[in-house]
Amino acid sequence: MKKLSFFLLASLLLVIIGCSSDDDSPTGGNDVASNPEEETVLNPADVTSGITIENATVNNGTPPSPTGEIAFTMDNTNQSAFLKNGFDISFNAPANYAGAYIQLASTDGTKATNYFDVSANKSKSVRKNTGVFSRSSKMDNNNVEIDVNFGDAIPPGKFCYILCIYDDAGNISDPVEVCVEIEAWGGNPALVGTWNYTKLIEDGVTILPGEESDCGSTTINCANEQELVIENAFCYILDSFKLTINNDGTYEYRSDETDNDLDFNASTETCTAVFQPEGTSYYISKGNWAYDEEEKRMTLIEFEYVEASGDQVFEGVEENGYVDFDGDAVVDGSSLIVKIVETEADNTINLEYYFSK
């Protein structure tokens, strides 16, 4: 689901600056006081009635008691959630995982009088993000993810949930308690403004607007039975990217891209690298942003998007929102630096997007 998450293209955004239109940004823009709204202790009964979970039923009482013989692991026991969008419950589970029990509680220990029974969904589909920061929202396919969506009545504040999982033999794990802070929209006035992309530093290599990146090589078997290795057969070019962050908690960005792709058939026939005409595209994302004061992280929740390639234009709406970006956002004078660490298998890529106001 969310996702929260440029990737390269796809994967993750921000803007800076204060409440004035002056170009002189305040220093120390990363230090922001906590929002008192987000410290409100929420009633677990109210939160339970205001959320929806796919493949879940709500049962009265407390979940069945643990039996052992099954276990799971989670990376964190604290996490953020977002208005309307909600949050994901992510954990590693064994192959015979069959479902989970989820009971909500307040931060003072008061538990809801009912609980969710969520059956395993092996066929969950996740929309592929094609925004610039999509790298930041890639899923680990080894994880189980339960998508929890909020209704409009759930406000900023704090609550906890208690999670157990069960297998197809009826074994029930020991519980793990995780506490959640629902972020209010907005949160850091130093991020407010319009930011223009100036460069990307990927593992120490600087890539400027209009330069090729995210290139891939390929090997083709030619018509004359020779083998041809083609470097940079498929490349992505980020030509421009403008991000506007508004004081009311909304954002909008537009990225313009060029694709430089191999003409596979022509290259096979001639046994030389023949490329298609360059293709142009753009992506527009609109939604809400939030800032985690403790973690100094920016999250963009996309609710509307426009995806265009050549003459084809597609407009879409995400009713519950989509985590387009979730990562470190550093304000340094009049510059914004968005930092993303992408991990796939044993490969880790460090991405730093630079913006100026």
Side-chain angles (χ1 to χ4, degrees):
M1 135 185 177
K2 316 158 181 149
K3 332 138 38 332
L4 298 230
S5 1
F6 169 110
F7 100 25
L8 250 209
L9 141 182
S11 308
L12 339 287
L13 330 139
L14 331 163
V15 182
I16 290 189
I17 204 121
C19 306
S20 71
S21 59
D22 295 337
D23 288 338
D24 295 327
S25 303
T27 59
N30 303 302
D31 298 322
V32 181
S34 298
N35 186 333
E37 283 187 291
E38 299 169 354
E39 303 301 317
T40 303
V41 176
L42 301 179
N43 186 322
D46 294 339
V47 180
T48 299
S49 64
I51 68 177
T52 57
I53 304 175
E54 186 178 2
N55 296 327
T57 58
V58 180
N59 301 322
N60 292 325
T62 59
S65 299
T67 63
E69 299 180 4
I70 183 175
F72 68 99
T73 59
M74 302 184 73
D75 290 336
N76 299 298
T77 55
N78 293 278
Q79 66 181 108
S80 294
F82 304 95
L83 299 172
K84 186 65 176 176
N85 176 252
F87 64 102
D88 285 334
I89 299 175
S90 180
F91 54 91
N92 283 314
N96 61 343
Y97 164 76
Y101 299 125
I102 302 169
Q103 185 179 28
L104 303 192
S106 69
T107 54
D108 64 10
T110 303
K111 296 179 181 179
T113 57
N114 47 16
Y115 67 95
F116 295 91
D117 182 351
V118 187
S119 61
N121 180 9
K122 302 297 185 182
S123 61
K124 177 183 175 182
S125 61
V126 177
R127 176 193 144 210
K128 181 180 179 181
N129 185 7
T130 53
V132 169
F133 293 106
S134 62
R135 279 188 170 186
S136 65
S137 24
K138 288 190 175 181
M139 287 178 52
D140 180 351
N141 291 328
N142 294 322
N143 279 0
V144 174
E145 289 208 357
I146 298 175
D147 184 9
V148 181
N149 291 313
F150 288 162
D152 293 332
I154 295 183
K158 291 184 175 181
F159 70 96
C160 302
Y161 63 86
I162 301 164
L163 174 69
C164 298
I165 70 168
Y166 57 87
D167 62 21
D168 48 17
N171 297 307
I172 302 171
S173 73
D174 290 329
V176 172
E177 183 172 11
V178 179
C179 289
V180 178
E181 180 176 297
I182 305 173
E183 305 286 345
W185 295 135
N188 185 351
L191 290 169
V192 175
T194 296
W195 299 93
N196 290 290
Y197 167 70
T198 59
K199 66 181 177 180
L200 164 66
I201 298 180
E202 180 174 344
D203 284 342
V205 177
T206 299
I207 302 168
L208 300 177
E211 294 184 344
E212 292 182 342
S213 64
D214 195 26
C215 293
S217 62
T218 190
T219 301
I220 63 174
N221 296 314
C222 302
N224 61 8
E225 298 184 356
Q226 292 183 346
E227 189 175 81
L228 178 65
V229 177
I230 303 174
E231 302 294 338
N232 299 335
F234 310 96
C235 288
Y236 164 78
I237 301 169
L238 179 58
D239 297 307
S240 64
F241 183 22
K242 181 167 71 173
L243 169 66
T244 298
I245 295 180
N246 300 311
N247 196 48
D248 64 358
T250 62
Y251 80 87
E252 178 177 348
Y253 74 76
R254 171 172 172 150
S255 61
D256 289 87
E257 300 109 12
T258 301
D259 291 313
N260 189 18
D261 295 336
L262 186 73
D263 187 323
F264 185 83
N265 291 332
S267 299
T268 300
E269 289 297 321
T270 63
C271 210
T272 59
V274 179
F275 288 85
Q276 302 175 13
E278 287 187 341
T280 59
S281 61
Y282 67 84
Y283 190 87
I284 298 172
S285 176
K286 298 179 181 180
N288 292 85
W289 66 280
Y291 185 76
D292 186 315
E293 298 86 0
E294 290 79 18
E295 299 293 331
K296 297 179 173 55
R297 294 176 67 86
M298 160 80 83
T299 303
L300 304 182
I301 306 295
E302 179 181 88
F303 287 99
E304 302 176 45
Y305 63 96
V306 178
E307 187 174 358
S309 179
D311 296 331
Q312 296 184 325
V313 179
F314 178 78
E315 298 184 23
V317 174
E318 293 286 345
E319 182 179 352
N320 293 112
Y322 180 89
V323 178
D324 185 89
F325 170 79
D326 180 33
D328 294 341
V330 178
V331 178
D332 182 10
S334 60
S335 298
L336 171 66
I337 306 171
V338 178
K339 299 181 179 182
I340 298 167
V341 177
E342 179 193 20
T343 302
E344 292 184 356
D346 296 327
N347 186 33
T348 298
I349 301 174
N350 293 287
L351 303 167
E352 292 185 352
Y353 290 88
Y354 285 74
F355 298 81
S356 65
K357 186 169 179 286

